Structures are given as structure tokens and as C-alpha cells.
Amino acid sequence: MTIAQIKKDALQQQVTLSTIVANAIEEAKRRVDSVQVSINQSTGISVSTRLEETENVEFNSDGALAITVYQNQRKGSASTNDLSPSAISQTIDMAINIMQYTSPDPYSGLGDASLMAFNPPDLDLFYPSDLNVDEAIEQAKQAEQIALAQPKISSSDGGYFSSRYGIYVYGNSLGMLQGYCASSHSLSCSVIAEQNGQMERNYAYTSSRDISQLSSPTWVGQQAAERTIAQLGARQIATMQVPVLFCADVAVGLMGHLISAISGGSIYRKSSFLLDSVGQPIFPSWLTIYEDPHILKGVGSSPFDSEGTQTIKRNIVEQGVLQTYLLGNYSARKLGLTTTGHAGGIYNWLVSTGQINADFDTMLKKLHKGLVITSLMGQGVNTVTGDYSRGATGFWVENGQIQYPVNEITVAGNLKDMYKNIVAIGNDVDTRGNIQCGSILIENMSIAGK
């Protein structure tokens, strides 16, 4: 099937799903005060290889309808994979039945119609692929082949290729009924290196809305091999306090903890180290986090959130000062605020690099002496207190030059202090996710070693 035909079929399917959602809303409206219905249908292929042999081939084409009903401040939700009229009617019955057993909650209900995306922008998110199974397998195999051809690479944990697209439709009894199609593609490879009885494992990956913008299998294989080989000969370092440079692909995780801390649920439950922080400086004055949900082809782009609220461009942090919490309708009402359109998550976060425009080598020179972290392990992050403690691997740096790899260490601090003590952010931005951030240099952290 050609790409043009795939697009045509998907758009026709979107129309069909919109009709299903509209019919479900009309049926439910006859029995309850208000209702919202969504359908998310996914179609795609994923393949995995190991040592250049095909391990798994998976096709998927499935969809689920979720319905939430509201009556007298009570709420009931149910879902179904069966999109037939009878199954949807049974799902409505189930949601209403569940609702009758819930306690009244004055904060539940649909959002403000004036904030909903009745005319959402087209964000150019749909780039389906016409690769067949053999071509998909070849992508994964090529990445493995390149990696395995490198010296000291002794084995492979596998290559993986995925190509899929989804159709999302949302509607509610306030008259909103909108949908869009979006695609995603990825290629990854994980390998094992061995030297003098020591074994190390690492990986590399590429992802994009548009398959033509994926990095090549050659790049993925080479990166996986280089990252793995670089860790051979790793040592354990002494316990100390030193500056720490988080590589870009782990630095995004530091910003990910911010999401948890300023999410509405954490705030109204008073389970965040950033309570009462809106309007307060939480980062250095040069740092800004700009959110743009409307970047064309953006990995984190969306015209509206999971409650139909239109997404808007905004500063999450401006010159170090927190500007907003991340709110859906329920958490906004609990806090006496207005939804920010973040039901379901964040969008494209663009973290500023500040006053310097430094590549990774320049960041190493700025670090001068300390630790570069390339990977983290464990879940030692407490967003109630901000305490941070995770296993890490990386490299020891002296005189702005990498000296040797290190492992079996723990890096610790408190996120509140870590955020305020960011010295610089590099221009080596990782663009593969919905947080786009360069490497982050923190002035001082505790390292637990031997």
C-alpha cells in the first residue's frame, strides 16, 4: 500500500471514529448531565533482531473507546475495545452504574467550553511509513551488523525497529468533537563489549514523527558500539563532593522530575517539594523553560489535551522563576485555579542554554575537574522532599579532559539545591523527546564511591 493510500484510509477511519464518538455522546446525554468520549486507535509494526537473526515481528491494529459520565457531581468511567453499537451501549451502562456508587465530588466535571479547542491547528504530525516486514527487519539488522563489526563488541542485546501511527478523537457534550492522526518511528540497538573479563552494555536510538528524519542504521550501530566500548576499563572513585555534568540524554530526566513536582495532583495533595513556588525563583535567573505545543512535526506537539482543552504556548519557567503549575480541570478546581491544558502530560519543553553557547567539549572545560554522568539507575528520587540519590556511570574529568570511565557510584543531592546550582546548559540539545535540553552542569554534588 502506498503512503498516499495509507493517509487516505487513516483519514477515512478518523471520520468513522468521529461518528462513533458523536453517537456515543448523544446516547449518553439522554441519561446523564454531561459526558466525554475518546477513542485512540493504533496501527503499526515492530520487529526485533538478535545477533542478526529475527526474534519477533508484531503487527498491531487496535483501538479503545473510553467514556466518562457525570451526574449530580458523581463520575463514572468505563472503556471497551469493541466499537460495535451494542458494546458501546453496554459500556455506557457500565459507566453510569459505576457512577451511582461513587461519592459526590464538586471538583469533577467537564471543563470550561471557552477553553476548548473547537478549531485546533493542524500540526503536521502524520507521516506514516510504507515499509514492509523485510525492510523493517533489515533496519534492525543493519544497526546490529555495524555495531558487531566494531572491535571489542562481543555480543548484542538486539536491534529494534518500530513504525506506527495513531488516530485520536475526542468529543464531549459541550459540542466539541475533534481528532487528528500522528505517527512515530524509532530504531535502536543495544550491544555488549568485553575486555579482560569485564563486560559493559549500552545502546543508542533514534526517533522521529517522520521516518525520513530518523538517523541511519549505520549511525545507530556506531553510536551503540562507541558508547559501550567507552565504558570498558571503568573504575570506582572515592567518595567526594565535586561538580557534575549530566549528559544531555540524562539531563532531560532532571527536568522530568520538575514535571512531577509541579503537576496539579502533587500540588493539591501537598506531596511536592515545590509547594507554593509559583512566582518564586527555583532556577538561576538566566534559565527559561518555554513550552510550545504547536511545533510542526514536534514529538511532543498536540492541539489539545486529553480533556479537550486547547494547548497554548507559555513559559513554564521565566528567568528562573516558576510561572505555573501543570493543571487539568480537576486539579485546577481543587486549587481554585484555571486549567493549563496539561491533562495527559506536557508538550515540547525547550530549555534555554543561557548566556553561553557551549558544545559538549566546552562544557567539559567548564567542568574542569569532576564527574560526567552518562547513565543513571534506580528510582531514588523523592518528589515530596526533593531528595535525589541514584546509581550512576560516566567518566572522570581533569583539566577539562575525560580521563577514564567510572561505575558503581551513587550521585546524591536535593533537587531544590540542584536546580538552583545549575552553572550552565550546553547547546548539545537532545531533540528526541518532549523535553529538549542540553547537558547540564551542576556546581556541586555528593558522590558515594569506594
Side-chain angles (χ1 to χ4, degrees):
M1 187 182 296
T2 66
I3 291 177
Q5 186 61 50
I6 294 171
K7 285 187 173 182
K8 181 179 178 181
D9 289 352
L11 293 174
Q12 289 176 341
Q13 183 65 10
Q14 181 181 327
V15 172
T16 300
L17 296 178
S18 296
T19 301
I20 291 172
V21 169
N23 290 341
I25 292 170
E26 285 304 310
E27 182 175 348
K29 275 173 60 177
R30 294 193 287 267
R31 303 171 60 187
V32 295
D33 291 339
S34 57
V35 56
Q36 63 179 2
V37 179
S38 64
I39 290 180
N40 200 338
Q41 186 167 75
S42 176
T43 301
I45 179 176
S46 60
V47 301
S48 61
T49 61
R50 188 169 185 276
L51 297 174
E52 303 178 55
E53 295 291 331
T54 304
E55 269 201 332
N56 292 295
V57 176
E58 296 182 9
F59 296 91
N60 78 285
S61 182
D62 48 45
L65 177 145
I67 183 165
T68 300
V69 295
Y70 302 95
Q71 180 88 8
N72 299 327
Q73 299 185 340
R74 298 175 188 268
K75 170 186 172 182
S77 299
S79 62
T80 178
N81 293 319
D82 185 345
L83 301 183
S84 66
S86 60
I88 292 174
S89 292
Q90 291 173 5
T91 305
I92 293 171
D93 290 341
M94 189 181 303
I96 292 173
N97 186 50
I98 292 170
M99 178 188 68
Q100 293 170 347
Y101 289 93
T102 62
S103 300
D105 187 342
Y107 304 109
S108 67
L110 299 179
D112 186 340
S114 67
L115 300 177
M116 291 184 179
F118 289 98
N119 296 292
D122 180 358
L123 301 180
D124 196 25
L125 305 179
F126 190 33
Y127 287 83
S129 166
D130 60 353
L131 258 64
N132 59 39
V133 176
D134 290 337
E135 291 168 327
I137 291 171
E138 188 59 26
Q139 293 279 311
K141 279 187 177 180
Q142 281 184 25
E144 269 200 301
Q145 288 168 353
I146 294 295
L148 288 167
Q150 308 307 309
K152 300 179 183 178
I153 298 297
S154 59
S155 188
S156 171
D157 256 0
Y160 179 82
F161 177 83
S162 172
S163 175
R164 64 186 66 245
Y165 68 85
I167 306 170
Y168 181 70
V169 177
Y170 172 89
N172 62 40
S173 50
L174 294 175
M176 180 174 169
L177 180 60
Q178 296 292 339
Y180 60 91
C181 301
S183 57
S184 64
H185 313 278
S186 65
L187 173 66
S188 64
C189 180
S190 175
V191 292
I192 298 167
E194 189 170 2
Q195 176 180 274
N196 300 327
Q198 181 192 12
M199 300 176 70
E200 295 289 344
R201 177 188 289 107
N202 216 315
Y203 70 98
Y205 77 98
T206 176
S207 63
S208 179
R209 293 279 190 194
D210 184 348
I211 194 168
S212 69
Q213 294 182 350
L214 288 179
S215 297
S216 69
T218 298
W219 180 90
V220 172
Q222 287 176 340
Q223 284 291 305
E226 289 174 8
R227 287 165 59 97
T228 309
I229 293 168
Q231 285 296 137
L232 289 171
R235 313 177 196 176
Q236 199 176 6
I237 57 176
T239 296
M240 64 183 81
Q241 289 194 335
V242 292
V244 173
L245 178 62
F246 288 80
C247 285
D249 55 352
V250 290
V252 296
L254 292 180
M255 295 301 166
H257 302 313
L258 175 64
I259 297 169
S260 299
I262 63 173
S263 292
S266 297
I267 300 302
Y268 77 70
R269 294 186 185 96
K270 300 187 182 303
S271 59
S272 169
F273 69 94
L274 290 177
L275 283 176
D276 303 318
S277 291
V278 169
Q280 300 298 316
I282 62 171
F283 287 103
S285 60
W286 49 263
L287 193 152
T288 292
I289 300 176
Y290 175 61
E291 182 177 58
D292 186 353
H294 300 161
I295 294 176
L296 298 182
K297 299 172 73 169
V299 173
S301 295
S302 180
F304 50 86
D305 74 358
S306 62
E307 295 173 330
T309 303
Q310 61 186 338
T311 54
I312 63 172
K313 303 174 184 180
R314 71 176 80 226
N315 282 338
I316 303 298
V317 173
E318 184 175 352
Q319 296 182 339
V321 177
L322 182 64
Q323 300 297 305
T324 182
Y325 294 130
L326 309 177
L327 308 175
N329 287 315
Y330 186 84
S331 60
R333 291 189 185 109
K334 290 280 283 188
L335 295 167
L337 301 170
T338 301
T339 178
T340 59
H342 286 98
I346 67 158
Y347 311 103
N348 303 297
W349 275 19
L350 312 177
V351 183
S352 67
T353 58
Q355 297 176 340
I356 67 169
N357 188 28
D359 59 15
F360 185 69
D361 287 340
T362 304
M363 293 291 285
L364 285 177
K365 289 180 174 63
K366 195 167 183 66
L367 171 65
H368 186 65
K369 182 178 180 179
L371 181 68
V372 171
I373 292 179
T374 57
S375 65
L376 293 163
M377 294 152 282
Q379 304 297 321
V381 181
N382 187 331
T383 54
V384 179
T385 63
D387 289 339
Y388 183 96
S389 178
R390 299 189 68 184
T393 61
F395 299 94
W396 181 250
V397 173
E398 291 186 11
N399 298 316
Q401 299 288 328
I402 289 176
Q403 302 298 310
Y404 51 82
V406 297
N407 62 9
E408 297 182 11
I409 58 172
T410 300
V411 58
N414 184 279
L415 285 168
K416 213 165 190 176
D417 298 328
M418 291 163 64
Y419 288 160
K420 286 184 177 179
N421 292 328
I422 293 175
V423 175
I425 297 179
N427 63 11
D428 52 336
V429 177
D430 186 348
T431 61
R432 295 171 295 185
N434 57 5
I435 300 175
Q436 299 192 10
C437 180
S439 52
I440 292 179
L441 176 58
I442 294 178
E443 185 176 27
N444 192 53
M445 293 189 70
S446 296
I447 309 298
K450 60 184 178 181

